[in-house]
Amino acid sequence: MSDSLAKITVSLPDNTSREYNKGVTPYEVALDIGEGLAKASLAAEVNGTLVDLSIPIEADASCKLLTVRDDESLDLIRHDTAHVLAEAAKELWPDIQVTIGPVIKDGFYYDFAREAPFTPEDLVALEDRMREIVDRDEPITREVWGRQEALEFFASIGESYKAEIVRDLSEDEVLTVYKQGKFVDLCRGPHLPSTGKLGTAFKLTRIAGAYWRGDSQNEMLQRVYGTAWASEKDLRSYLDRLEEAARRDHRRLGNEMDLFHIQEEATGSVFWHDQGWTLFRLIETYMRRRLEGNGYSEVKTPTLIDRSLWERSGHWDKFREHMFTAASEDRVLALKPMNCPGHVQIFRQGLKSYRDLPLRMAEFGACHRNEPSGALHGLMRVRAFTQDDAHIFCTEDQVNSETARFCELLLGIYKDFGFDDVIVKFADRPEVRAGTDETWQKAESALKHALDQTGLEYEVNPGEGAFYGPKLEFVLRDALGRDWQCGTLQVDFVLPERLEATYVGEDGSKHRPVMLHRAILGSFERFIGILIEHFGGRFPTWLAPTQAVVATITEAADDHAGTVHKALVSAGIRATLDVRNETVNYKIREHALKKVPVIVVVGSREAEDGTVSLRWRGEKKQEILALDQAVDKLSALSMAPA
């Protein structure tokens, strides 16, 4: 039998199999099953690898045909939409250069080299042309090219960035290009069969600057962001979420609620206003109480430390570019970017015994990191922050119990802040790391075993461990379905060795402690930003900086309002008094904008009856209660979780 007539078996997801000639394509398999499936298919998974429908299957294989209903298809749709964007740009502006256009969370982008800056009107023109390209239903075809052929082609059409990519590829790289209409792009694929398969559920969202290959020494390009979805319904749902996210933007609400501001003279640092600082201190007080109840001792370490300690810890080599430094008396000092070396110094003071372990050391440490100005983003990315940090010094035998104890504490705290949906990830050794492979194997085994003992479900996040040890990452999902990585637990055998931390064991000999680095909030600034957006500024009453405002309707009620305010404050409620000569509706609108949980309205009738009218945030009805009843009710709601 000739090779072309050799038979292969293709296994399908429904546990059936079919026999075909060697070299059959996934499209032909789909056509054999039915014309409807062939028409709906976008790509295929052959032996678990995503491929074009036109790729020949050369041996027995499993084959899953993907349609728009499959989750795996969404990235393909976004990838192809990026290519259609590039084709549209080349048609509208032939001299433009296309560089790279990857898929990202919820969408895609493409970077362009163009002298004239893109305008909002250009985005409209690009979208219109993209829809034309989809209507043309241009076939998308894959070709394998030689290295020299590709270099000459991209150089000949003025695509110097593409030529640079080709030059930088390894010699054994299989070089593929994809064609659609007159547009040719360097790409590994896979892609859809034609542009018409995309549909019209896409939108270009914004323009930004981006350095070529992310290097600030390179040319500045223009980045066009977009989103693409499997259906118009999914697109509309996403755009609605974007609108809601804009309404909840912590920078906007921070201004409206008079919480904080950031200005150029202190780039990356926060000016906390009284309401924002009240929120900060509420969280700090809550966290301090929870930590004290879990056996932590609070410490404070210096902010400015000699570079020699950072060199011994290994942070100087790893984090030097992110550290702020200062010179004094021929010494180089650094503002601490983290607290761990300082905590080891406290541990080393005095002789420690195995009886002292585990030793849980916490600090709300003021840290500084020299983040690029372009990466700064409100409270979410700052240069000066307060780290919710602690280190547990323990024996190897205590890693399991301490991990379980920490996970229980962390999940309880998240629940108190309104986060019930928490994803746990196990992050193993990164490419750049301290310590030997043997040490890493030991640390990874210890942490994984401890995590397994907790019974928590988790995902693996390969290569994302800290440079000194593997870690657990705790990811919160907010009210808009967005994920925020906040908490971490890292097992470290390296730093105690580098900084010579020891304890005396039961055998009378000196041993190295295991160091568990752990954080729950991450940083106060970022966590507060997440909280603002999660609640849309409508904090639960216990967390609201101002829990109640006593507002008068008439001047005749001023005395009673003063009595009400005094009673609320005496009961520990954070209340303010508003007796300004303004209408009550004006006062209500103003305090509603600041998201105050309840407005206590006092007029002549309330003054006469000794009552108050409670107007709850988000509700139109008022509740009339006797003053003592109102105080009891507000007191119960105002208490922080136990």
Side-chain angles (χ1 to χ4, degrees):
M1 181 182 293
S2 67
D3 188 61
S4 62
L5 296 179
K7 297 294 184 179
I8 62 171
T9 300
V10 175
S11 302
L12 301 170
D14 62 359
N15 293 322
T16 64
S17 60
R18 299 190 179 211
E19 194 174 73
Y20 297 100
N21 290 334
K22 180 181 178 181
V24 67
T25 66
Y27 176 76
E28 290 169 336
V29 173
L31 195 59
D32 181 50
I33 297 171
E35 289 188 11
L37 180 59
K39 185 176 181 180
S41 293
L42 303 178
E45 275 187 4
V46 176
N47 291 332
T49 300
L50 209 57
V51 299
D52 300 315
L53 289 175
S54 60
I55 296 293
I57 303 174
E58 301 293 350
D60 292 349
S62 63
C63 179
K64 178 183 177 181
L65 295 158
L66 302 178
T67 70
V68 72
R69 297 192 194 124
D70 293 291
D71 292 341
E72 300 93 330
S73 298
L74 192 52
D75 279 356
L76 283 174
I77 290 169
R78 290 169 176 165
H79 190 182
D80 280 49
T81 309
H83 276 236
V84 169
L85 166 60
E87 181 181 3
K90 290 293 287 185
E91 289 186 3
L92 291 171
W93 303 286
D95 292 337
I96 202 171
Q97 288 197 63
V98 300
T99 64
I100 57 172
V103 172
I104 56 174
K105 180 176 170 57
D106 294 331
F108 60 91
Y109 68 78
Y110 217 113
D111 287 346
F112 299 98
R114 182 189 182 215
E115 288 188 12
F118 282 119
T119 65
E121 292 74 23
D122 289 337
L123 292 192
V124 174
L126 279 166
E127 261 193 47
D128 290 343
R129 183 57 62 93
M130 290 170 70
R131 297 185 194 283
E132 289 180 24
I133 293 169
V134 170
D135 287 342
R136 291 180 210 156
D137 196 18
E138 297 172 345
I140 302 174
T141 57
R142 175 182 183 271
E143 295 183 8
V144 178
W145 282 12
R147 188 185 189 84
Q148 192 59 35
E149 179 186 7
L151 276 173
E152 291 175 359
F153 172 77
F154 287 113
S156 71
I157 62 172
E159 294 285 0
S160 60
Y161 294 93
K162 292 290 183 185
E164 182 179 327
I165 294 173
V166 173
R167 283 193 298 271
D168 290 347
L169 292 175
S170 63
E171 294 291 341
D172 57 355
E173 181 92 21
V174 176
L175 200 153
T176 56
V177 298
Y178 281 80
K179 294 181 177 180
Q180 55 193 57
K182 296 180 180 179
F183 180 66
V184 180
D185 205 353
L186 179 70
C187 187
R188 291 189 177 93
H191 282 279
L192 308 182
S194 67
T195 60
K197 295 287 187 180
L198 281 180
T200 57
F202 59 79
K203 183 173 182 58
L204 302 182
T205 54
R206 62 190 177 96
I207 306 159
Y211 292 110
W212 169 234
R213 291 185 159 176
D215 188 339
S216 60
Q217 302 302 310
N218 290 338
E219 306 92 322
M220 175 66 78
L221 305 174
Q222 296 186 69
R223 177 170 294 176
V224 177
Y225 284 95
T227 188
W229 296 84
S231 68
E232 293 287 347
K233 179 182 177 182
D234 289 344
L235 173 63
R236 174 44 53 192
S237 177
Y238 172 72
L239 295 177
D240 288 345
R241 291 199 303 274
L242 282 187
E243 290 177 8
E244 180 60 24
R247 286 191 288 270
R248 291 172 180 245
D249 189 302
H250 73 282
R251 296 165 298 180
R252 173 176 168 269
L253 291 175
N255 179 59
E256 289 181 1
M257 298 173 68
D258 196 24
L259 301 177
F260 69 91
H261 82 275
I262 297 172
Q263 65 188 57
E264 188 62 33
E265 289 83 354
T267 303
S269 298
V270 183
F271 290 83
W272 290 105
H273 301 189
D274 63 335
Q275 291 290 290
W277 190 241
T278 297
L279 175 60
F280 190 107
R281 288 187 295 110
L282 284 168
I283 295 172
E284 184 179 44
T285 299
Y286 166 85
M287 290 299 297
R288 181 171 284 117
R289 177 170 55 80
R290 293 301 304 267
L291 293 178
E292 288 175 351
N294 275 267
Y296 286 83
S297 299
E298 187 175 342
V299 300
K300 192 71 174 174
T301 56
T303 300
L304 201 59
I305 300 176
D306 192 280
R307 68 175 280 179
S308 60
L309 179 60
W310 302 111
E311 288 173 337
R312 294 201 306 277
S313 71
H315 290 96
W316 189 261
D317 290 337
K318 176 69 177 177
F319 290 106
R320 169 66 187 89
E321 62 181 304
H322 298 299
M323 296 170 74
F324 290 102
T325 60
S328 175
E329 298 178 347
D330 298 324
R331 299 175 68 185
V332 176
L333 307 169
L335 290 172
K336 65 177 178 181
M338 66 276 296
N339 303 298
C340 8
H343 287 189
V344 178
Q345 303 315 299
I346 294 178
F347 181 86
R348 292 179 69 242
Q349 297 302 301
L351 195 63
K352 298 294 187 298
S353 162
Y354 69 94
R355 294 187 182 88
D356 298 316
L357 306 184
L359 193 157
R360 307 180 190 98
M361 191 182 299
E363 178 176 7
F364 301 129
C367 299
H368 295 77
R369 294 182 186 174
N370 190 11
E371 302 283 2
S373 58
L376 300 176
H377 179 73
L379 299 179
M380 303 300 193
R381 192 83 175 265
V382 291
R383 288 177 173 169
F385 57 96
T386 300
Q387 196 170 42
D388 152 51
D389 201 10
H391 295 90
I392 302 168
F393 298 89
C394 63
T395 67
E396 289 186 43
D397 291 341
Q398 293 168 334
V399 171
N400 281 5
S401 58
E402 287 303 305
T403 297
R405 184 187 183 110
F406 170 69
C407 289
E408 182 180 4
L409 173 64
L410 171 140
L411 294 174
I413 288 173
Y414 286 167
K415 186 173 183 179
D416 284 349
F417 281 113
F419 297 104
D420 294 314
D421 194 352
V422 182
I423 301 165
V424 183
K425 298 182 180 182
F426 177 85
D428 58 17
R429 68 192 74 182
E431 186 174 340
V432 178
R433 57 186 181 268
T436 64
D437 288 344
E438 181 184 2
T439 299
W440 271 86
Q441 182 61 42
K442 184 176 171 183
E444 287 172 350
S445 296
L447 182 56
K448 191 172 187 303
H449 181 67
L451 179 57
D452 289 336
Q453 293 294 103
T454 68
L456 294 172
E457 294 183 3
Y458 62 91
E459 305 171 4
V460 176
N461 195 11
E464 292 300 318
F467 90 107
Y468 43 72
K471 66 178 176 178
L472 303 184
E473 300 172 337
F474 298 89
V475 181
L476 307 179
R477 183 156 289 165
D478 71 8
L480 296 181
R482 300 173 302 181
D483 291 343
W484 304 93
Q485 195 261 299
C486 292
T488 59
L489 175 70
Q490 301 156 14
V491 175
D492 182 7
F493 288 88
V494 175
L495 204 58
E497 179 75 31
R498 287 192 169 202
L499 297 182
E500 301 179 341
T502 61
Y503 70 92
V504 178
E506 286 188 81
D507 59 2
S509 301
K510 287 189 175 181
H511 299 267
R512 298 288 185 205
V514 181
M515 189 174 179
L516 304 182
H517 305 246
R518 47 109 298 181
I520 296 176
L521 309 184
S523 83
F524 276 72
E525 286 74 10
R526 182 169 176 268
F527 192 75
I528 289 172
I530 294 169
L531 280 177
I532 293 170
E533 297 195 0
H534 176 62
F535 290 114
R538 298 174 179 84
F539 298 115
T541 306
W542 77 271
L543 201 52
T546 297
Q547 295 171 320
V549 172
V550 182
T552 54
I553 297 175
T554 173
E555 187 178 333
D558 285 1
D559 288 345
H560 182 52
T563 300
V564 172
H565 177 251
K566 184 177 180 180
L568 294 176
V569 172
S570 297
I573 298 164
R574 294 185 295 279
T576 60
L577 180 62
D578 188 348
V579 293
R580 293 174 298 165
N581 186 24
E582 300 285 356
T583 67
V584 71
N585 286 336
Y586 177 89
K587 295 176 183 178
I588 288 171
R589 282 195 303 271
E590 183 178 85
H591 298 303
L593 186 65
K594 296 185 185 302
K595 311 294 191 292
V596 176
V598 61
I599 299 173
V600 184
V601 179
V602 178
S604 299
R605 180 179 298 176
E606 287 81 7
E608 185 177 334
D609 296 342
T611 61
V612 295
S613 293
L614 303 182
R615 188 183 182 99
W616 296 97
R617 182 179 58 203
E619 296 182 13
K620 293 183 179 179
K621 291 183 179 180
Q622 296 190 58
E623 182 180 13
I624 300 175
L625 295 175
L627 176 55
D628 57 348
Q629 292 177 316
V631 171
D632 289 344
K633 185 168 187 174
L634 290 174
S635 293
L637 292 172
S638 300
M639 295 286 290

